[in-house]
Amino acid sequence: MMTTIGVLALQGDFREHIEMLKKCKVNTAEIRLPEDLKDIDGLIIPGGESTVMGNLMQRHNLGREIIKKHKSGMAVYGTCAGAILLAKDILGSRQPRLNLLDISIKRNDYGRQIDSFESELKIEGIGNFSGIFIRAPVIEKVNKGVKVLSRLNSKPVLVQKENVLASTFHPELTRDKRVHEYFVRLVRKKFMIGV
Amino acid sequence: MNQKVYKFRQIVCRRGFKIQKGTFLLKKGLAEMLKGGVIMDVVNAEHAKIAEKAGAVAVMALERVPADIRKAGGVARMADPLKIKEIMSSVTIPVMAKCRIGHIAEARVLEALGVDYIDESEVLTPADDRHISKQDFKVPFVCGARNLGEALRRISEGAAMIRTKGEAGTGNIIEAVKHIRCINEEIDLLQNLSQKELNEKAKEYRVPFHLLLAAKKLKRLPVVNFAAGGVATPADAALMMLLGCDGIFVGSGIFKSQKPYETAKAVVEATTHFDRPQLIAKISAGLGEPMKGLDIKELEIRLQERGN
């Protein structure tokens, strides 16, 4: 059976993720309400505004359904705002979140838009990659079991725990599909969670 | 690209990796992050917080909303920096601000303040009949457009985001609808043109050929395109999304309505779920009076005619 990966389409750059997934030759779906989650094997939470997505997720119980689905094995990948929503601890904020990854993250910590930047990255298992950071958060701390796959100036920018992946940069804005392919492999691996 | 601009884009960080700032990809990228969202006009910190809580993806810091600009008359200028700073420090979402068309100094002030996006806007009184060369700035710009030529001219000047002009401050959606329809139809028309005809079209529009070609290939503008100018209800927002806009600007529509918070929240939800009418029916119920609005035929000034 073909793998289907959903992209949370409440707000943000979901179109770019969908285009990238199509290049990875998987089925895609736009996720806006709980019933959309039914047939997907993995979920990407795109870049956007984490407060907006968090709020909209609460309104139709979508957040709760995502957590439930993840507990039964669905892999999740969050970019930028998506990484914030996955984090357990958002420094200085009580905004809604999914709490699926044991990291501490700080919003907009590089500064405002004029401080947004592009930088070359080295990613474990992938190699050199062009990192695009837009009003990006900074991962301040990773707790036990979270693997750091890439760092910039000693701060983690791509982290993974089992089938949860989070990046503070935007691979979907490049033409390079290697990070997405990495996630597709994670989706297909079907980790057993909580066993 | 001039020397000064080149310099700040090439900064070498400690680790030896090259870091680039202010690139077009980063400017366009922020707009991509705003897609599917609602950007709301606010005139003070209190409004900004209400907008943020209701789910605004960004706020536009202003001296007054367009409906009040219309009423006040006179010359409309960039907002007081004190006000912009107050709004910037009250929310965590991006803050945009407007400068007059062609007013390079106002734009530089806004950049120095650290706003996240500048709207070179026809809502303010123009300072020139030419637009700003926006590629000279590190901060991204959004500009209004009524048709494909106008949109591509703004992009060729460096705009990283486009919005319909509509007719701001009227709460009347007709002009915004006409503008997005015009852009869509003109892009459709490109599909059947030969190379030679495309060349002529680029000349007619006064735009670089490669931008016209990009619009043809993508079947949309090469940057994010929002709706603006006349959105007043959740259904207005859904209408503009159905017509292919990437997101919504609401000016007077929120804080000139009877229940601003509820209206804002409903417009946000209608923008996300634009394709689900039953849901929009539910969230539109009991919102009270929307802003009163104006008939386009009775207007003394048509803001959309400023800047071309």
Side-chain angles (χ1 to χ4, degrees):
Chain A
M1 211 175 84
M2 193 145 161
T3 311
T4 304
I5 298 183
V7 181
L8 193 71
L10 296 174
Q11 190 270 314
D13 70 336
F14 52 90
R15 187 169 72 203
E16 283 63 31
H17 276 292
I18 284 172
E19 277 161 20
M20 204 54 115
L21 287 170
K22 281 185 181 153
K23 281 189 206 157
C24 299
K25 306 219 160 46
V26 295
N27 283 337
T28 60
E30 292 184 7
I31 310 296
R32 290 191 175 86
L33 290 172
E35 61 250 39
D36 303 336
L37 288 166
K38 215 169 50 194
D39 300 319
I40 62 168
D41 308 295
L43 176 71
I44 291 183
I45 304 175
E49 276 306 312
S50 61
T51 50
V52 178
M53 283 193 255
N55 276 334
L56 286 169
M57 242 191 254
Q58 279 188 320
R59 286 188 203 172
H60 301 278
N61 261 337
L62 181 59
R64 216 174 297 164
E65 289 301 314
I66 291 172
I67 296 168
K68 216 155 111 194
K69 184 106 183 160
H70 169 67
K71 291 214 164 116
S72 65
M74 177 182 72
V76 189
Y77 172 31
T79 59
C80 196
I84 297 169
L85 288 166
L86 290 176
K88 184 174 179 185
D89 179 26
I90 306 169
L91 293 165
S93 172
R94 296 200 318 220
Q95 66 193 82
R97 71 203 68 178
L98 294 168
N99 190 1
L100 298 178
L101 189 61
D102 195 0
I103 58 173
S104 294
I105 199 161
K106 194 156 183 223
R107 291 181 60 203
N108 310 331
D109 204 37
Y110 293 103
R112 305 196 71 94
Q113 171 62 12
I114 42 174
D115 303 303
S116 291
F117 62 96
E118 297 179 43
S119 172
E120 191 81 9
L121 300 171
K122 268 202 167 59
I123 301 177
E124 197 185 308
I126 289 179
N128 283 5
F129 199 90
S130 158
I132 297 166
F133 294 82
I134 296 173
R135 283 173 50 96
V138 172
I139 298 173
E140 289 291 343
K141 201 171 134 209
V142 296
N143 291 321
K144 224 178 124 195
V146 180
K147 201 161 72 176
V148 178
L149 299 177
S150 179
R151 287 178 195 274
L152 181 69
N153 293 334
S154 81
K155 300 285 188 196
V157 294
L158 178 64
V159 298
Q160 180 193 345
K161 185 179 183 187
E162 291 158 354
N163 62 354
V164 183
L165 189 67
S167 69
T168 57
F169 57 97
H170 295 282
E172 75 277 13
L173 294 184
T174 67
R175 291 181 181 181
D176 194 335
K177 60 182 183 187
R178 286 176 299 164
V179 175
H180 285 78
E181 282 173 340
Y182 184 89
F183 179 62
V184 172
R185 286 199 296 276
L186 271 188
V187 172
R188 288 184 175 146
K189 253 193 209 160
K190 296 252 181 214
F191 274 84
M192 295 301 286
I193 301 299
V195 175
Chain B
M1 203 186 301
N2 72 36
Q3 273 299 310
K4 208 177 91 204
V5 177
Y6 187 72
K7 232 192 273 168
F8 69 60
R9 288 191 185 171
Q10 306 271 322
I11 303 164
V12 177
C13 84
R14 274 175 299 161
R15 285 301 252 343
F17 280 142
K18 198 170 68 189
I19 283 192
Q20 292 189 299
K21 291 188 178 186
T23 63
F24 192 70
L25 182 62
L26 291 167
K27 292 174 174 178
K28 184 170 171 262
L30 179 57
E32 308 283 3
M33 301 309 146
L34 301 175
K35 275 186 309 201
V38 181
I39 301 166
M40 300 180 194
D41 280 4
V42 297
V43 297
N44 55 40
E46 184 203 343
H47 280 187
K49 280 184 189 150
I50 293 172
E52 186 177 45
K53 197 169 160 226
V57 80
V59 291
M60 176 76 71
L62 282 165
E63 199 72 43
R64 1 177 129 82
V65 294
D68 291 335
I69 290 177
R70 249 177 216 292
K71 253 189 244 159
V75 175
R77 311 179 176 90
M78 171 186 81
D80 185 339
L82 191 70
K83 179 156 274 177
I84 296 170
K85 270 162 75 181
E86 173 198 317
I87 290 166
M88 282 168 68
S89 60
S90 68
V91 292
T92 61
I93 53 178
V95 176
M96 301 184 167
K98 288 187 196 290
C99 76
R100 285 181 261 177
I101 291 173
H103 206 309
I104 300 160
E106 279 188 354
R108 289 175 58 155
V109 169
L110 294 175
E111 183 176 55
L113 285 169
V115 302
D116 297 293
Y117 240 96
I118 295 177
D119 184 0
E120 187 183 17
S121 176
E122 70 283 0
V123 170
L124 305 184
T125 312
D128 193 351
D129 47 18
R130 279 200 201 169
H131 283 71
I132 297 172
S133 291
K134 293 166 272 285
Q135 56 267 67
D136 297 344
F137 287 76
K138 213 159 61 150
V139 59
F141 281 76
V142 53
C143 286
R146 290 171 296 175
N147 51 52
L148 183 60
E150 223 176 308
L152 295 179
R153 281 196 292 282
R154 297 295 87 77
I155 298 168
S156 76
E157 294 155 3
M161 179 178 182
I162 294 293
R163 56 171 175 76
T164 60
K165 280 180 166 173
E167 192 55 45
T170 60
N172 191 339
I173 198 69
I174 181 169
E175 296 300 303
V177 169
K178 283 196 210 162
H179 297 163
I180 187 65
R181 212 160 31 72
C182 179
I183 290 174
N184 289 342
E185 283 165 6
E186 284 173 333
I187 292 175
D188 279 348
L189 222 66
L190 298 179
Q191 304 308 320
N192 302 320
L193 296 189
S194 67
Q195 189 81 358
K196 191 170 158 252
E197 288 167 322
L198 273 177
N199 248 316
E200 281 161 14
K201 209 63 175 170
K203 272 188 206 139
E204 181 197 320
Y205 287 160
R206 291 174 283 130
V207 298
F209 181 72
H210 75 270
L211 283 180
L212 199 67
L213 204 61
K216 180 187 171 182
K217 276 191 186 155
L218 293 166
K219 299 192 173 148
R220 56 177 160 82
L221 293 180
V223 301
V224 168
N225 184 16
F226 267 48
V231 178
T233 66
D236 285 347
L239 169 62
M240 295 309 290
M241 295 299 285
L242 284 170
L243 289 171
C245 287
D246 293 314
I248 306 287
F249 280 93
V250 197
S252 322
I254 303 285
F255 290 99
K256 289 282 165 198
S257 70
Q258 201 184 4
K259 297 181 183 171
Y261 176 69
E262 286 76 7
T263 302
K265 215 171 139 183
V267 171
V268 168
E269 208 162 340
T271 302
T272 294
H273 300 293
F274 65 91
D275 214 5
R276 287 180 155 124
Q278 283 180 333
L279 216 156
I280 298 173
K282 212 166 104 189
I283 57 181
S284 305
L287 287 178
E289 280 285 307
M291 80 177 276
K292 181 136 185 295
L294 297 164
D295 191 336
I296 305 294
K297 276 175 272 171
E298 287 159 14
L299 296 179
E300 277 172 37
I301 304 173
R302 283 162 66 92
L303 300 173
Q304 59 177 289
E305 279 155 15
R306 295 168 166 179
N308 187 14

